[in-house]
Amino acid sequence: MLAISPGVRHVSTAKSMDAIMSLCKRRGFVYQASEIYGGINGFWDYGPLGAQLKKNLRDAWWQDMIMNPCWGRKGPNGERVKCVPVETCIIQHPKVWEASGHLAGFADPMRKCPGCGHFVRADQLWDIITTGSEWFASLIQEFEPALEDTKTPAIDASKLLKWARSKGRKQAPNLALVKNPEVVLSFLATRINGQPTAPPDVVEIIRHLATAQLNATGLQDPCPRCGDVLGTPAAFKLMFETYAGLTQSEDNKVYLRPETAQGVFVQFKNVVDTTRIKVPFGIGNTGKSFRNEITPRNFTFRSREFEQAELEFFCHPDESLEWYKFWRDFRMEWWKSIGLAGENLILREHEKDELSFYSKGTSDVEYRFPFTAPGFGELEGIAHRGDYDLTQHQTHSRNKLDYFDTTRGETLPNGGKKGERYMPHCIEPAAGLDRGALALICEAYTVDSARPSPEFLKLHPRIAPIKAAVFPLMDKDGLPEIADALYDKLFARFGRIGLIENDAKQSIGKRYARMDEAGCPYCFTIDGDTKADQTVTVRDRDTGQQQRMNIDKVEAFLAEKLGV
RNA sequence: GCGGGCGUAGCUCAGUGGUAGAGCGUCAGCCUUCCAAGCUGAACGUCGGGAGUUCGAAUCUCCUCGCCCGCUCCA
């Protein structure tokens, strides 16, 4: 290895995750949680700059989604978009998670279908197949004679073949019998003819029909929905558990929320009843959520504790598709507006077979992280959830959660409306703030070996944790005093939205370099001429170029650049 | 969950059984009129953690934790 000559920094020109993580640590953006104890898998802390950056991201979301939704533009109904905030608890009544579907099934070993994503309880698999599977019900019609209990039915290979090529293609597209009927049927025939004294029962026959490579894999279990081979059973403890109360009894067991959205749904009626807001409107909720990820990985991208910013937007079912498209497009625009404007950001509409059964449409805003490239990783999901959530909570809580809309229905003689009662549909833009912060850092991270400070962060001024720096060119001749006065002025004006630096130590180049790595967009330098003509230089982080301006113009210049 | 790689100062890394190092960064002083400059000095180490082998372990063995990569997984 070559010796590193003094004063020369060797930096790879590629955008490597190692280099980004290294910068995050060294500049105080992200630390490993509990690092002095060896760290803890799946948890990360934010340092001073990271905490401020993430706050800026959260504030931007809050401003553009709650305070002034969609920058004041009108929604599909021709009116300004209306949203209100709530802040709900991390720990909710356990029945919330029963109703939402998060709890059901996750206490017991489950098997996942790789074909359609369906989860099945391992211990109830065959009950579910024999009583609830569409393709099974259709398939056993082809047995001769009709099935009785689990006795061996007669097998007519030609009928099974015909089924595989007609109904099977629609009902169980991933079943081995459908994908490769000749091979599967030959295995089955070998089995039946091989041991005529111990004929296979229905379960074994079906398992044969689900198995494409008997010798390699043994008999497989099919997915009740699509017929694909199920994965091995595993206990999925998705949610963190703890106890509310002193005794660690089942009665006291509670869960840390796996998403913030449910808090909105369970308070939907309270918001409607205690504010004067009317459908269509949104309820925003931000905060920590927890998922016991099996494999936390990729820096902060998949953490076990993470922060969400979710909006649940409620509207009339007839207008829901328009609202879905509206939010999907706005959310993409929003991420672009804070610095993800390049080709690394895409909006991906889910395929029909990828959708939850209740969803009429789902899109992901995805970013090409260094660790996903050339693929993409999800930043935000925008889902049309129909009335699924409110209906679930209405059923489980036995509280009516529907909405009486006084702007609809036929016109009454007095000019008013008769009104219409309905369950609102919900559009959910759900963003991950930690993923957002990571994407912003990755996108901002730039290497230019031609610069004296090759590594820098091109953070959008709105997101940058340090908004500006004030530097006296030298630490003497009255320059620090002028810098202090400018600093005080800038701090008074901008100190509430970010950090302002004031530093007289060391060479000016080193101070610029520090600000480059921290992503500070503008540095204002006081030099000897300042005393004579009241001008300072402003240095642009991204170009390194400088211009002189009157010291009294600095505040207005910065305000314009920061958009405040 | 399986397999591979890695773990030494804030960062990047050298050190393969014998006194813990370098560059950069950080801090202080000097110098310096615009880009990690120069000079002088200083602080900073559970060598990831634990156990073992050894006269002696950063180094060898075992266990463990963490990070990265590939599968797996991610309602």
Side-chain angles (χ1 to χ4, degrees):
Chain A
M1 184 180 171
L2 288 171
I4 295 173
S5 50
V8 178
R9 297 173 63 87
H10 289 257
V11 179
S12 161
T13 50
K15 249 190 204 194
S16 85
M17 208 54 216
D18 284 347
I20 291 170
M21 289 169 69
S22 169
L23 186 146
C24 282
K25 170 77 185 290
R26 141 174 119 244
R27 287 294 162 192
F29 282 94
V30 180
Y31 308 132
Q32 196 177 5
S34 304
E35 187 183 298
I36 62 170
Y37 289 101
I40 177 166
N41 192 342
F43 297 89
W44 299 88
D45 290 339
Y46 289 89
L49 293 188
Q52 183 67 46
L53 181 147
K54 200 175 134 186
K55 178 180 187 298
N56 291 346
L57 176 61
R58 187 190 306 112
D59 287 351
W61 185 91
W62 191 274
Q63 177 66 29
D64 298 346
M65 296 293 279
I66 309 288
M67 305 303 288
N68 183 26
C70 311
W71 306 321
R73 80 175 49 157
K74 291 186 170 66
N77 60 341
E79 293 172 21
R80 284 175 78 103
V81 180
K82 296 172 297 187
C83 293
V84 294
V86 294
E87 182 179 315
T88 64
C89 283
I90 285 171
I91 292 175
Q92 300 278 341
H93 195 289
K95 284 189 174 171
V96 169
W97 311 116
E98 255 179 65
S100 70
H102 288 88
L103 193 53
F106 281 92
D108 302 296
M110 303 288 285
R111 304 183 67 173
K112 187 180 182 183
C113 171
C116 64
H118 187 53
F119 273 78
V120 194
R121 273 186 66 167
D123 59 336
Q124 296 180 351
L125 175 62
W126 288 99
D127 284 348
I128 291 167
I129 290 176
T130 53
T131 61
S133 166
E134 189 190 357
W135 64 258
F136 177 84
S138 154
L139 181 58
I140 58 167
Q141 306 288 320
E142 308 300 328
F143 291 175
E144 277 302 336
L147 184 68
E148 287 177 31
D149 293 332
T150 54
K151 288 175 195 166
T152 305
I155 302 297
D156 183 337
S158 65
K159 290 187 80 171
L160 293 184
L161 193 58
K162 191 179 166 194
W163 180 88
R165 288 177 173 158
S166 53
K167 290 179 182 170
R169 290 203 173 161
K170 285 182 182 172
Q171 294 170 343
N174 296 327
L175 190 67
L177 173 68
V178 173
K179 290 194 288 194
N180 205 347
E182 289 82 2
V183 173
V184 168
L185 287 172
S186 79
F187 280 134
L188 183 58
T190 307
R191 166 68 181 91
I192 291 171
N193 298 330
Q195 290 175 287
T197 52
D201 62 8
V202 169
V203 167
E204 189 178 345
I205 291 171
I206 297 295
R207 294 182 77 201
H208 261 98
L209 299 181
T211 305
Q213 298 181 23
L214 182 63
N215 297 329
T217 61
L219 287 178
Q220 301 288 319
D221 295 324
C223 169
R225 226 184 250 185
C226 74
D228 208 346
V229 174
L230 288 173
T232 50
F236 291 83
K237 284 276 185 182
L238 170 84
M239 287 192 286
F240 284 94
E241 300 174 357
T242 186
Y243 298 89
L246 291 181
T247 56
Q248 300 203 347
S249 63
E250 279 298 304
D251 294 350
N252 282 341
K253 188 183 274 186
V254 292
Y255 304 89
L256 307 192
R257 67 182 172 196
E259 62 173 38
T260 55
Q262 297 305 321
V264 171
F265 295 123
V266 301
Q267 293 294 2
F268 169 76
K269 192 164 189 319
N270 272 339
V271 172
V272 168
D273 289 348
T274 58
T275 70
R276 300 184 60 224
I277 201 148
K278 291 181 169 55
V279 170
F281 76 100
I283 303 177
N285 198 16
T286 71
K288 288 291 185 74
S289 291
F290 303 82
R291 294 186 196 184
N292 212 346
E293 297 288 353
I294 297 162
T295 313
R297 203 170 277 194
N298 291 327
F299 202 26
T300 58
F301 183 77
R302 177 171 293 130
S303 305
R304 290 183 163 141
E305 173 175 344
F306 56 98
E307 185 166 351
Q308 295 182 295
E310 298 195 285
L311 183 79
E312 309 302 324
F313 192 86
F314 300 96
C315 59
H316 189 277
D318 293 348
E319 297 176 346
S320 60
L321 266 179
E322 283 180 287
W323 279 108
Y324 163 68
K325 291 172 186 160
F326 174 83
W327 280 111
R328 177 194 64 192
D329 296 341
F330 174 71
R331 292 307 299 158
M332 183 69 179
E333 210 179 325
W334 186 81
W335 284 108
K336 286 181 178 175
S337 80
I338 55 171
L340 300 183
E343 61 187 14
N344 290 332
L345 193 74
I346 57 164
L347 183 69
R348 187 178 69 82
E349 187 91 33
H350 284 208
E351 302 292 332
K352 281 262 180 332
D353 59 4
E354 204 179 343
L355 294 175
S356 311
F357 66 91
Y358 49 75
S359 181
K360 287 180 186 162
T362 301
S363 298
D364 286 346
V365 177
E366 298 185 336
Y367 179 74
R368 185 191 282 126
F369 290 94
F371 49 79
T372 60
F376 293 80
E378 181 186 348
L379 286 186
E380 169 161 351
I382 300 100
H384 184 311
R385 299 182 62 89
D387 61 4
Y388 176 75
D389 302 279
L390 288 178
T391 304
Q392 283 294 106
H393 286 298
Q394 174 167 277
T395 305
H396 282 78
S397 71
R398 295 198 211 106
N399 276 267
K400 277 190 89 70
L401 298 181
D402 58 4
Y403 178 77
F404 186 70
D405 192 331
T406 55
T407 68
R408 290 176 178 270
E410 55 195 78
T411 306
L412 298 175
N414 67 3
K417 294 283 189 181
K418 189 179 177 191
E420 178 187 340
R421 185 170 292 281
Y422 58 88
M423 191 63 85
H425 279 208
C426 180
I427 313 301
E428 175 190 86
L433 291 182
D434 303 274
R435 290 179 173 191
L438 183 59
L440 290 168
I441 290 171
C442 290
E443 182 70 13
Y445 180 80
T446 310
V447 178
D448 179 356
S449 53
R451 289 165 61 115
S453 51
E455 288 179 284
F456 63 109
L457 290 184
K458 276 187 183 175
L459 290 170
H460 190 283
R462 194 178 179 197
I463 298 300
I466 303 176
K467 300 301 187 190
V470 179
F471 296 148
L473 187 57
M474 288 174 304
D475 195 8
K476 61 178 186 182
D477 297 343
L479 302 186
E481 288 75 7
I482 301 173
D484 288 348
L486 179 58
Y487 169 81
D488 287 344
K489 201 170 159 186
L490 296 183
F491 180 80
R493 172 80 185 272
F494 305 108
R496 76 193 67 175
I497 61 167
L499 307 168
I500 312 289
E501 289 277 310
N502 180 16
D503 187 3
K505 298 288 186 184
Q506 297 176 319
S507 76
I508 191 70
K510 187 171 286 192
R511 283 178 276 166
Y512 286 155
R514 269 199 286 255
M515 289 302 101
D516 282 349
E517 275 200 358
C520 169
Y522 298 102
C523 297
F524 300 95
T525 302
I526 315 306
D527 61 17
D529 293 344
T530 306
K531 285 191 283 187
D533 62 8
Q534 281 73 52
T535 62
V536 300
T537 58
V538 51
R539 173 186 178 273
D540 182 279
R541 173 198 63 204
D542 300 339
T543 64
Q545 290 182 339
Q546 302 185 153
Q547 65 179 97
R548 286 201 85 84
M549 69 172 58
N550 192 286
I551 197 166
D552 293 331
K553 298 266 172 59
V554 168
E555 189 181 332
F557 171 86
L558 200 53
E560 194 240 312
K561 294 292 186 185
L562 297 177
V564 294

